[in-house]
Every structure is written in C-alpha cells, then in structure tokens.
Amino acid sequence: MVRLSTITTKQGDKGMTMLGNGQKVAKSNQRINAYGTIDEAGATIGIAIAYSDDVNITTLLQNIQQHLFNVGSVLCRPHDDAKPARNPITQDNISFLENATETYNQQLAPLNSFILSGGTKPSAYLHLARTIVRRAEREINLLSQSEYVPENLIIYINRLSDLLFILARIMNDGGNNDILWCP
C-alpha cells in the first residue's frame, strides 16, 4: 500500500527529482518526460470520463487509467538486470485494447475524410488524450534508444492512441457529428 502523508517535500526546488529506485535526476530527464506525459494522458482521460454519460465507455476508460498508472510505474524505475522490475503491462492488456478497438470500430462508418478534433466535450478530450498518448509514444521510443523499455509497454501505448481515436468518434454520436477536414 502507498502512503503519502507529505506532498510538498521541497526536494524538487532545484530542478531535481527522484526516480522510483531512489536515483536523483534532472526534471528534464528523458525518463521523467516519458512518465510525465503518461500522467498527462491519464489526467486528460479523466476529464473525458467526467463529461461522459456512457457507462461502458467510462468503465473502459477507468481501466485504461489504471493501466496508464502501471505504465508510469514501469517507466519511473530504470531497468536493473540484477533485479528486473515486474512489467504489469501484459499481452492481456494489449488484447484488451485490441478487442475494444475492434468492438467500437464496428459501430462506425468508414471515414472518407480526415476529421478535426471537437464535437462533444468527451470527444474533444479523447482527441486531446490521443495526441498526448502519441507524444508519450515518441517520448518512450526516445527513452528506449538509450535504456531498456519493455516491448509490451511500447505496443500498448501504440494501440491506445488508436482506441482513443475510435472512442472520440463514438462519443460524437457514433461519428455522425465528426467535424470533417475540408482541404
């Protein structure tokens, strides 16, 4: 169990922070960028949940928030060959996203145009979350060029952005209220 009795520690006042293994690094460290962006995505999904009136999608998004917290827990700890961390992101998590993607995509008509972010509030926030997840994917891939990142984690994040796009369309009356790009 986690117990947080003090939130303000003043440890970061000089631009440093602590990773999950106790190592102090600059707040601009690539690992911090990666899991900070994951945190941002989870928070944005929380806003979409606050505006959602679809119980099934709300439950799905709450599960994704749990998964994203697990992603952050992996990213906040550098890999240690002597004591490898457990990776809570499994093939089952990836399959969960793939199944949801297939289920919800079947409810949508094919696109004949790119769409712009917007429409309903939950849709707009899901589009925002999608773009944040794409940024997280870039941050994680950059981190993986110099440090070990589990492959399942990278795959999960890639699948998540696809699902968020589809859910944004679902929240726009099944795509009927999508805002089409007019080149």
Side-chain angles (χ1 to χ4, degrees):
M1 173 181 280
V2 175
R3 180 180 162 94
L4 301 171
S5 59
T6 302
I7 302 304
T8 303
T9 64
K10 301 179 185 174
Q11 296 294 312
D13 290 352
K14 295 191 178 178
M16 301 295 285
T17 192
M18 197 175 302
L19 296 175
N21 67 353
Q23 177 186 357
K24 282 191 175 184
V25 297
K27 288 187 175 187
S28 59
N29 179 282
Q30 187 56 38
R31 186 169 291 282
I32 303 301
N33 290 336
Y35 75 76
T37 306
I38 290 296
D39 187 34
E40 190 178 339
T44 305
I45 289 170
I47 298 171
I49 290 169
Y51 285 114
S52 175
D53 58 2
D54 185 308
V55 174
N56 293 326
I57 290 178
T58 294
T59 301
L60 174 64
L61 293 173
Q62 289 169 334
N63 283 322
I64 289 168
Q65 282 185 306
Q66 295 288 332
H67 295 168
L68 287 176
F69 217 87
N70 288 336
V71 167
S73 76
V74 171
L75 291 173
C76 82
R77 300 184 69 84
H79 180 72
D80 181 353
D81 287 331
K83 192 172 82 174
R86 180 181 73 84
N87 179 14
I89 302 303
T90 65
Q91 182 58 46
D92 287 344
N93 299 126
I94 295 167
S95 296
F96 171 81
L97 293 182
E98 290 172 342
N99 292 335
T101 297
E102 185 176 325
T103 297
Y104 283 103
N105 196 45
Q106 289 175 357
Q107 299 174 29
L108 297 169
L111 283 171
N112 296 318
S113 172
F114 289 108
I115 61 172
L116 305 178
S117 300
T120 65
K121 286 180 182 178
S123 176
Y125 280 111
L126 288 171
H127 278 297
L128 179 58
R130 172 187 56 79
T131 65
I132 295 169
V133 167
R134 284 288 188 209
R135 179 164 32 96
E137 183 179 17
R138 293 189 301 272
E139 297 286 357
I140 292 166
N141 277 297
L142 183 59
L143 177 64
S144 75
Q145 292 174 16
S146 61
E147 298 186 48
Y148 173 78
V149 176
E151 183 180 10
N152 275 356
L153 188 145
I154 295 169
I155 294 169
Y156 180 88
I157 295 302
N158 183 266
R159 298 294 186 280
L160 178 57
S161 59
D162 295 338
L163 177 58
L164 292 174
F165 177 78
I166 289 166
L167 293 177
R169 294 194 64 216
I170 290 290
M171 297 306 279
N172 264 344
D173 189 27
N176 292 321
N177 292 331
D178 285 340
I179 303 166
L180 301 180
W181 174 54
C182 301

